[in-house]
Amino acid sequence: MSTCATVSRSLDEPVSGTAATATTWLLLEQPGPWGVKALTSSHLDRALGRALEAAADDTGVRIALIRRPGRHADPGTPAERQVYAAHTVPGKVWLRGTTTRDPGKLLDLDYAALGAGDHRTFDTVLGGRADETGPLALVCTNGKRDRCCALLGRPLAAELTASGVPGVWEVTHLGGHRFAPTVLVLPYGYSYGRAEAHTVKEVLHGVQEGRIVVQGCRGNSAWGRPGQAAELAVRTAAGEYAADTLSVVRTDGGTPRWEVTVAHADGRRWRVIVAQGASLPPRPESCGASALGAPARMDVVAVRELHAAAPAC
């Protein structure tokens, strides 16, 4: 059976620079079935879902629903729901967790502050606290958006859970169906495509050691897509895999060519030229697409380390 994911894999479409963008992720547990737009087409109150979408709009916060891996027969309204918030900008990375009986309280959060990395309202409104259980692995499994996410994502989530990997959740939407199974790892915010169980385990082990695995990485959600590709290119060129060390500090230009400046915490800087290309030949961008397309791709043209000018005599 040909799917958008099998075609993308067979054509070796690059995954770098394809991650969803968000400086902060807000995750709400919602068991049972999900629809195409899960916030408003699940068993979460639809009016609440619309209000949450509006509250997070243009703040840098991305809201997603999560559920435990396994069967998804509707269990009714849960008495208590898990809630997480994670900020992914290097130097300010954090992961907070809590539970709530009233998801409507999420409307009392300061979304602009959350997007900027301030978790105080998450703590005061919801009783949030630093989550010390380890990194989260969020596997996209929403088959209503694309069947590849269900066909490939659910078995991956189940395998990880069965093998005892902690912190595994199913999530509603990470974008890039054709790269399924897709996984977001928090708190650092790196996404992975065409993930396999052994790869996810390696990624999570790396996170626990403060290290980023570049293989199969789509990018860090804190950056726009040119920045995602540039940062990964610098990691490879410089052999720098420590988490929380590289930041995209400037992006000049626009479609289809950018100059991205990537800075290291130790003061080093690189200029990366990124060009937008088209993935050819045309292929289905999702299983539900009625026409073939040529998805945009981020091609790194050059990586150059910048050297500080010598001080004047």
Side-chain angles (χ1 to χ4, degrees):
M1 177 178 61
S2 179
T3 65
C4 66
T6 58
V7 173
S8 176
R9 184 188 292 266
S10 68
L11 294 174
D12 199 24
E13 182 181 350
V15 302
S16 175
T18 66
T21 56
T23 54
T24 300
W25 290 82
L26 181 62
L27 309 171
L28 172 64
E29 183 178 3
Q30 176 59 57
W34 296 333
V36 174
K37 294 187 68 176
L39 276 178
T40 54
S41 55
S42 67
H43 288 187
L44 182 69
D45 179 79
R46 185 169 298 180
L48 173 59
R50 286 194 295 265
L52 289 171
E53 286 180 334
D57 186 46
D58 202 29
T59 64
V61 177
R62 186 177 177 113
I63 304 175
L65 301 182
I66 57 175
R67 64 190 176 196
R68 308 276 181 183
R71 297 178 60 85
H72 303 303
D74 184 15
T77 302
E80 197 166 59
R81 304 166 189 256
Q82 181 68 47
V83 186
Y84 293 106
H87 189 64
T88 64
V89 176
K92 299 172 65 177
V93 169
W94 47 256
L95 174 63
R96 315 290 287 183
T98 190
T99 58
T100 185
R101 293 176 176 271
D102 179 11
K105 287 185 176 180
L106 272 65
L107 292 176
D108 295 329
L109 299 176
D110 184 335
Y111 283 85
L114 273 178
D118 183 347
H119 55 70
R120 285 177 293 182
T121 62
F122 185 83
D123 295 348
T124 57
V125 171
L126 297 173
R129 57 199 177 279
D131 187 272
E132 299 177 352
T133 59
L136 303 181
L138 307 169
V139 184
C140 186
T141 62
N142 190 354
K144 293 296 184 180
R145 290 197 70 99
D146 192 284
R147 61 178 174 169
C148 286
C149 297
L151 292 173
L152 300 173
R154 287 181 185 171
L156 174 62
E159 181 179 354
L160 289 169
T161 301
S163 63
V165 176
V168 178
W169 293 83
E170 297 186 9
V171 69
T172 47
H173 184 47
L174 298 177
H177 321 295
R178 62 192 183 279
F179 302 122
T182 60
V183 180
L184 170 68
V185 177
L186 295 175
Y188 292 113
Y190 287 86
S191 289
Y192 292 83
R194 305 184 186 121
E196 298 180 0
H198 69 89
T199 306
V200 177
K201 292 176 183 178
E202 180 185 353
V203 169
L204 293 174
H205 180 68
V207 169
Q208 291 170 333
E209 296 182 336
R211 175 174 50 84
I212 301 302
V213 173
V214 171
Q215 183 178 4
C217 190
R218 300 175 62 195
N220 185 335
S221 74
W223 317 127
R225 293 187 176 183
Q228 294 172 10
E231 188 235 28
L232 291 175
V234 169
R235 285 193 177 279
T236 300
E240 177 55 83
Y241 304 110
D244 227 18
T245 55
L246 296 181
S247 296
V248 174
V249 296
R250 181 167 178 168
T251 301
D252 297 311
T255 308
R257 190 178 179 89
W258 300 265
E259 288 190 4
V260 182
T261 303
V262 178
H264 194 287
D266 65 10
R268 287 179 291 163
R269 292 193 170 211
W270 292 262
R271 181 156 297 151
V272 184
I273 307 301
V274 180
Q276 180 174 301
S279 296
L280 297 173
R283 78 285 308 276
E285 295 190 51
S286 68
C287 289
S290 58
L292 301 181
R297 53 186 284 171
M298 295 291 124
D299 295 321
V300 173
V301 177
V303 178
R304 179 168 65 91
E305 184 172 357
L306 303 177
H307 298 283
C313 296

